[in-house]
Amino acid sequence: MKLIAVDVDGTLLNSNNEISEKTKDTLIKSGEMGHKIVIVSGRPTAGVVHLAKELEFEKYGGLLSNYNGGAITNFATGEVISNHTLDLNLAKKILEETKNLPLEIIIPKEDYIISDRQNKFLDYERDLLKVNTEAIRGLRENIDFAPNKIIFASEPEILEEHLPLLSDTYGATTTQVRSQRIYYEVMPKGLSKGNSLLEIAKYYEIDQKDIIAFGDELNDETMIEVAGVGVAMGNAVDKIKEISDYVTLSNDEDGIADYLEKFVLN
């Protein structure tokens, strides 16, 4: 049995934010053969449910790893295998101390996404993930739940200017990752996509060498590294291609399907 892990944006989805028919069919066939398929994403759990349904996860016991490894769910049963959150007091501290930075905050909460004011990134999440969003005045001061992560959002050049501050100030108590050009995510210490795959492999008694991971962005680095075979998409950033064992076709050329047809289904 293989554990086949697929990132979402730029990997499972093509440029139209869709799973192509060929990629869909290949992953379903892999599930039929008894391999474990896991969607590994920075997105909240609610933001990938429609993809799991497309891939018929309810039939083949597919898994969801969300918040860059923060929560692992068995889609068919709804069992939450693990859930990691930031300490509430730490989250409050971060939100309070960054309130004067020119960065928006995006925080997943259950099946919707919140911010302290309406902004284009909240709209982007709503449209992309097909989830409800809400702007809550006073969120920074009054947050009352331990979040899986805090996302800082801005235009790339503005974000980059403030990354050293976030890293230097909170790097010892959190894990941080640049998930998109416009997003910087602050998560519980020790979390990563790679560690979530190791958790899943241990849970299902799958050997680490039997993990296959597909990715394209820097937040995929850890899962590419821990996998027995790390596969970079043809559209991946250079760093991911450099550390991968194999570079497949791009997300618009059915790169996942091309690899699986060559090395798994045959």
Side-chain angles (χ1 to χ4, degrees), residues 5 39 57-58 70 76 94 111 116 125 144 169 190 200 219 230:
I39 292 173
F57 271 20
E58 70 278 5
I94 293 170
D111 58 354
D116 59 340
E125 291 290 299
D144 60 359
T169 309
I200 294 168
N219 65 329

Side-chain angles (χ1 to χ4, degrees), residues 232-235 246-256 258:
M233 305 302 289
N235 52 289
Y246 187 90
V247 179
T248 187
L249 302 176
S250 77
N251 62 323
D252 287 326
E253 300 170 306
D254 296 301
I256 292 174
D258 187 73

